[in-house]
């Protein structure tokens, strides 16, 4: 298990991380972590390793793009002083290009996406003990689907930035692709974006494997 005793782990992201978490910060009592992979991850880590006394915080914000993430990085990451940090962003950067094609001011194209990641990861990498980057995903098995093609471009950027800054990488798209060999996307998410509990478990399992969780 890579995350050490008494570590504070902050989970940064969009609605996939948010999933109804407590505001202003997803921490503490009364189901503060939402109903997605963040809640599952917190539960599995602290049930399996209670002796580590891990402090997990969910700061996902529904609808966020990487541009939005940059604007709140000081408040939701730097000010929280995490020991470990996980970042999954990019789904809305891509999605807005398809569901709001006429609102180009909302679009975050690949060059800006890469710069946004480099900006926040670059300034933070040396201040945390561990940094995990998670690829954005589209739960679609047709690799020629236009949105899947674009999402794969953003996933490739995430992998490149993770390698540049020596981050752990959770390839969530690959995790979903493995399951999609056996089930239809609707079994995992009604809109191919927001996972149900089964879909959330796919992300959770990939995350836990990456940090050396002993199942």
């Amino acid at each position: 298990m890579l995350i050490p005793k008494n570590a504070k782990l902050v989970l940064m992201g969009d609605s996939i991380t948010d999933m109804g978490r407590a505001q202003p910060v997803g921490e503490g009592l009364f189901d503060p972590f939402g109903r997605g992979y963040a809640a599952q991850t917190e539960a599995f880590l602290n049930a399996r390793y209670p002796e580590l006394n891990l402090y997990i915080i969910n700061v996902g914000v529904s609808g966020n793009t990487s541009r939005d993430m940059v604007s709140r990085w000081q408040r939701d990451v730097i000010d929280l002083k995490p020991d470990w940090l996980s970042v999954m962003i990019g789904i809305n950067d891509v999605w807005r290009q398809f569901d709001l094609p006429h609102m180009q001011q909302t679009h975050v194209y690949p060059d800006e996406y890469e710069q946004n990641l480099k900006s926040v990861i670059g300034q933070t990498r040396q201040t945390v003990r561990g940094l995990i980057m998670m690829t954005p995903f589209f739960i679609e098995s047709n690799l020629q689907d236009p949105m899947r093609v674009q999402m794969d471009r953003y996933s490739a950027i995430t992998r490149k930035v993770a390698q540049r800054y020596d981050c752990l990488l959770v390839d969530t798209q690959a995790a979903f692709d493995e399951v999609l060999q056996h089930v239809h996307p609707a079994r995992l998410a009604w809109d191919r974006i927001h996972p149900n509990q089964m879909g959330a478990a796919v992300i959770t399992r990939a995350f836990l494997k990456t940090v050396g969780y002993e199942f």
Side-chain angles (χ1 to χ4, degrees):
M1 176 53 181
L2 299 178
I3 304 175
K5 187 173 183 178
N6 296 323
K8 180 191 288 185
L9 167 63
V10 170
L11 305 175
M12 162 63 75
D14 48 38
S15 59
I16 311 306
T17 304
D18 183 336
M19 294 298 283
R21 60 133 172 135
Q23 297 289 339
V25 179
E27 61 182 347
L29 300 174
F30 311 115
D31 299 322
F33 304 104
R35 59 185 183 280
Y37 83 89
Q40 293 183 0
T41 296
E42 189 277 337
F44 272 99
L45 285 175
N46 282 317
R48 176 64 178 83
Y49 301 102
E51 71 280 5
L52 296 183
N53 189 38
L54 300 179
Y55 179 7
I56 298 174
I57 302 175
N58 182 349
V59 293
V61 173
S62 182
N64 264 198
T65 64
S66 63
R67 187 185 298 162
D68 300 312
M69 178 185 69
V70 170
S71 71
R72 64 185 179 91
W73 193 260
Q74 178 70 43
R75 181 195 69 193
D76 288 346
V77 175
I78 295 174
D79 290 352
L80 293 176
K81 297 180 172 62
D83 302 299
W84 277 65
L85 172 67
S86 174
V87 178
M88 179 165 60
I89 200 76
I91 288 173
N92 293 311
D93 300 53
V94 174
W95 203 1
R96 296 296 84 84
Q97 298 171 42
F98 292 87
D99 65 354
L100 294 173
H102 55 291
M103 293 178 62
Q104 295 186 15
Q105 71 273 17
T106 68
H107 300 174
V108 179
Y109 297 110
D111 287 348
E112 182 186 353
Y113 176 69
E114 181 171 352
Q115 185 53 47
N116 289 340
L117 290 184
K118 288 179 177 177
S119 172
V120 295
I121 300 302
Q123 69 176 287
T124 310
R125 183 64 188 93
Q126 298 306 314
T127 69
V128 296
R129 295 177 64 180
L131 207 157
I132 305 159
M133 297 190 69
M134 305 173 68
T135 64
F137 61 83
F138 187 43
I139 307 174
E140 172 55 64
S141 55
N142 177 10
L143 301 184
Q144 279 70 54
D145 178 278
M147 186 166 159
R148 172 63 197 261
V149 170
Q150 187 71 331
M151 196 71 76
D152 285 345
R153 293 190 183 106
Y154 285 64
S155 292
I157 291 169
T158 304
R159 286 192 291 272
K160 181 171 71 172
V161 174
Q163 183 176 25
R164 173 172 177 170
Y165 292 101
D166 192 27
C167 304
L168 294 174
L169 178 73
V170 180
D171 194 334
T172 57
Q173 185 66 71
F176 277 114
D177 287 346
E178 182 179 351
V179 178
L180 286 171
Q181 296 179 42
H182 308 284
V183 301
H184 189 274
R187 183 71 179 86
L188 299 165
W190 67 272
D191 58 359
R192 296 180 291 176
I193 292 291
H194 295 94
N196 56 25
Q197 288 299 295
M198 178 180 173
V202 172
I203 302 173
T204 302
R205 182 171 182 268
F207 183 98
L208 295 176
K209 287 173 66 176
T210 299
V211 299
Y213 186 96
E214 296 180 4
F215 288 88

